Amino acid sequence: MSTNPLDNKAQAWSALFSEPMSELVKRYTASVGFDQRLWRADIDGSLAHAEMLAAQGIIAAQDLADIRRGMAQIGEEIESGRFEWKLDLEDVHLNIEARLTQLVGDAGKRLHTGRSRNDQVATDVRLWLRGEIDGLAALLADMQRSLVELAAQHAETVMPGFTHMQVAQPVSLAHHLLAYVEMFARDAERLADLRRRTNRLPLGAAALAGTSYPIDREQVARSLGFEALSQNSLDAVSDRDFALEFAAFASICMVHVSRLAEELVLWMSQNFGFIDLADRYCTGSSIMPQKRNPDVAELARGKTGRVVGHLMGLLTLMKGQPLAYNKDNQEDKEPLFDSVDTLRDTLRIMAEMVGGIVVKPEAMERAALRGYATATDLADYLVKKGLAFRDAHEVVAHAVKAAMQQGLDLAQLPLATLQGFHAAIGPDVFELLSLRGSLGTRNGLGGTAPAQVRSQIERHRARLA
Ligand code: ARG
């Protein structure tokens, strides 16, 4: 058995170091506590690198066989929790490489030929993130499906649409829910787009300048499923813009989730009473026995803060770094990991919770009736009878004022009273003043009419099938 230069950390660098690292510095500089979750990507990347080295005649076929055997065992050790992670060995890369050399000897020492931890870590993070992106894409689709299926039951359920949080015009609940489907669909597009830029291979950049070994980067890219090679070695090891893009995507997506969560919280409150959330997503109060609190929705809203914070953290991490690799970049991992974990759990729980929403259509309808939501319809009616819109607007303002004074809805005013505001008003007005009548007239693309909403539901179903 040969000696292993990675037996302790000072020796991992070189014989140049004569003094051991202090415990504090060791802890401060180590990343193994969090970057060990990159282990599978690290092993996959190393195997692809070793296969290429063997194919190029840079290491022997026997070395490759030894490396494969060692890595298979390391993979098992890690999966079963038997692997001994050492702080002394700083990070996931050195831990795995040291164990490999312990297991297979010299072949392990040859693995690092033609690469550096700088291109290795950039490769690992991209590989890992690519896998997470695919998982998140599936969850975003589930989230959309869950909203679409709830919407499918409510194309005719009328609720108030709001502007300024004031009752504005009637919309269907389905239309409201489908607004979120549009947001999540754009999030999915953003995710697919940033996946392409994440999926480029940095390996081959070595420390910063490339390598003098006759490596075959195309082969490594093919075996790892990267769709392109990074074209500049300095850029390859130093930029983390793929992580920034991901954090920006995650932030936008969490902001969408947060708006939905906020609405669910409002809708469940006694003042709205629009919906009920299943008990399993609520908690009680330790002091007020009557309480059922929408904690899951509130936390989804609250966790948006940390994900947006991670975007700020990552942007700030990059902004002052000179080319090429700097140790600063080790700080990219925790915010990225936490963004992925938070978004994943949030999408999963929100999609489930949406599926369990109990809608109270009467409460929604009552609320829509309270705010003169069809006033615009009356104005539009008068325009169709020949009035200029501004004049019609004025006539309706008077009608609404009168109705308010009498505590009535517009549709409850007698025809004669309405005609007192303008002679052009006829008995056909009542159809429009009803919530459903109003809904039905907004029948252009993107409008809230049930026919439009149903065709949107079909489009989404086909798209998400
Ligand atoms: N743990 C390091 C990181 O996450 C790996 C790269 C270290 N490279 C170096 N030259 N110190 O960035």
Side-chain angles (χ1 to χ4, degrees):
M1 190 74 172
S2 65
T3 56
N4 187 349
L6 294 184
D7 276 347
N8 77 57
K9 187 168 163 188
Q11 287 172 31
W13 314 142
S14 72
L16 213 63
F17 285 74
S18 56
E19 180 184 48
M21 209 177 237
S22 84
E23 282 305 313
L24 179 59
V25 172
K26 219 184 268 177
R27 266 196 291 116
Y28 195 73
T29 55
S31 55
V32 66
F34 50 85
D35 70 10
Q36 51 179 268
R37 73 188 277 178
L38 296 175
W39 69 268
R40 199 184 290 278
D42 196 67
I43 290 179
D44 290 347
S46 287
L47 287 175
H49 179 67
E51 280 155 19
M52 178 278 291
L53 291 177
Q56 296 296 101
I58 302 169
I59 62 172
Q62 186 56 50
D63 289 328
L64 174 60
D66 291 346
I67 290 169
R68 281 185 171 144
R69 174 170 54 82
M71 287 301 198
Q73 175 166 342
I74 291 171
E76 281 166 23
E77 289 177 1
I78 296 174
E79 271 193 314
S80 65
R82 278 180 293 122
F83 191 88
E84 200 193 322
W85 297 101
K86 295 191 181 122
L87 195 69
D88 268 352
L89 288 165
E90 190 175 289
D91 59 21
V92 60
H93 323 292
L94 291 179
N95 268 272
I96 290 179
E97 193 188 326
R99 179 66 180 143
L100 181 68
T101 299
Q102 215 176 50
L103 290 170
V104 307
D106 284 348
K109 292 197 233 167
R110 294 198 180 99
L111 172 62
H112 212 49
T113 312
R115 83 174 178 184
S116 150
R117 275 188 303 154
N118 296 350
D119 56 347
Q120 186 180 356
V121 69
T123 303
D124 289 4
V125 177
R126 284 170 184 266
L127 263 183
W128 171 84
L129 186 59
R130 187 182 72 191
E132 297 298 328
I133 285 172
D134 295 342
L136 286 168
L139 290 175
L140 265 173
D142 289 346
M143 180 77 211
Q144 294 176 69
R145 277 191 283 265
S146 171
L147 287 161
V148 168
E149 291 319 310
L150 182 61
Q153 302 162 40
H154 294 287
E156 313 259 1
T157 303
V158 185
M159 63 174 276
F162 298 91
T163 60
H164 313 271
M165 208 55 218
Q166 312 282 318
V167 173
Q169 292 174 355
V171 295
S172 70
L173 172 60
H175 195 54
H176 194 112
L177 294 169
L178 292 184
Y180 285 102
V181 174
E182 295 290 336
M183 296 179 223
F184 292 124
R186 286 194 299 277
D187 291 335
E189 277 177 39
R190 259 184 286 279
L191 187 62
D193 195 52
L194 75 91
R195 188 191 193 279
R196 293 188 299 117
R197 281 180 296 279
T198 300
N199 199 24
R200 292 178 189 166
L201 176 75
L203 209 65
L208 76 163
T211 174
S212 59
Y213 294 97
I215 60 171
D216 181 352
R217 297 185 65 207
E218 295 280 357
Q219 180 191 328
V220 177
R222 263 195 313 277
S223 68
L224 293 172
F226 281 102
E227 57 202 83
L229 304 178
S230 62
Q231 300 290 311
N232 179 293
S233 59
L234 297 167
D235 174 49
V237 294
S238 67
D239 206 357
R240 295 291 184 267
D241 58 357
F242 67 96
L244 295 179
E245 282 194 62
F246 180 84
F249 146 79
S251 297
I252 294 171
C253 186
M254 282 298 287
V255 166
H256 290 152
V257 169
S258 184
R259 298 184 69 186
L260 174 59
E262 164 67 1
E263 298 210 291
L264 299 184
V265 170
L266 283 175
W267 291 359
M268 188 182 152
S269 76
Q270 287 76 7
N271 294 326
F272 280 78
F274 284 7
I275 59 164
D276 214 350
L277 295 174
D279 273 343
R280 59 187 179 283
Y281 304 109
C282 297
T283 62
S285 157
S286 53
I287 176 169
M288 298 168 282
Q290 85 282 14
K291 290 293 289 285
R292 270 175 79 253
N293 299 326
D295 284 26
V296 168
E298 292 171 73
L299 274 173
R301 189 178 60 191
K303 284 176 189 288
T304 304
R306 65 203 272 170
V307 175
V308 173
H310 293 325
L311 170 61
M312 294 307 128
L314 286 169
L315 285 166
T316 311
L317 173 67
M318 282 318 297
K319 80 167 277 297
Q321 285 193 54
L323 295 181
Y325 178 86
N326 302 284
K327 186 76 165 184
D328 309 43
N329 281 338
Q330 183 165 287
E331 289 287 307
D332 64 353
K333 291 171 198 62
E334 287 163 292
L336 196 56
F337 294 166
D338 189 64
S339 299
V340 166
D341 292 343
T342 305
L343 183 58
R344 188 208 307 108
D345 291 352
T346 303
L347 285 175
R348 196 176 281 162
I349 205 161
M350 286 290 286
E352 268 182 42
M353 193 167 71
V354 165
I357 288 176
V358 178
V359 175
K360 300 176 176 171
E362 332 70 50
M364 291 186 172
E365 191 151 340
R366 242 181 288 124
L369 282 170
R370 269 203 305 264
Y372 300 95
T374 57
T376 317
D377 298 273
L378 179 54
D380 291 342
Y381 171 88
L382 287 169
V383 168
K384 282 167 201 154
K385 301 272 178 182
L387 271 74
F389 183 78
R390 278 290 157 227
D391 295 332
H393 187 275
E394 186 64 14
V395 168
V396 176
H398 284 111
V400 169
K401 194 172 173 192
M404 276 176 170
Q405 277 160 0
Q406 299 172 47
L408 296 175
D409 188 54
L410 283 178
Q412 292 171 311
L413 293 177
L415 182 59
T417 311
L418 285 169
Q419 281 170 335
F421 298 107
H422 201 282
I425 297 178
D428 55 342
V429 76
F430 291 106
E431 165 64 13
L432 282 177
L433 293 181
S434 77
L435 295 177
R436 285 198 171 62
S438 162
L439 216 61
T441 59
R442 294 187 160 70
N443 201 18
L445 179 72
T448 191
Q452 285 300 322
V453 169
R454 282 204 191 88
S455 86
Q456 293 290 341
I457 287 169
E458 288 323 310
R459 180 176 67 83
H460 288 305
R461 278 179 170 160
R463 185 174 65 73
L464 294 163

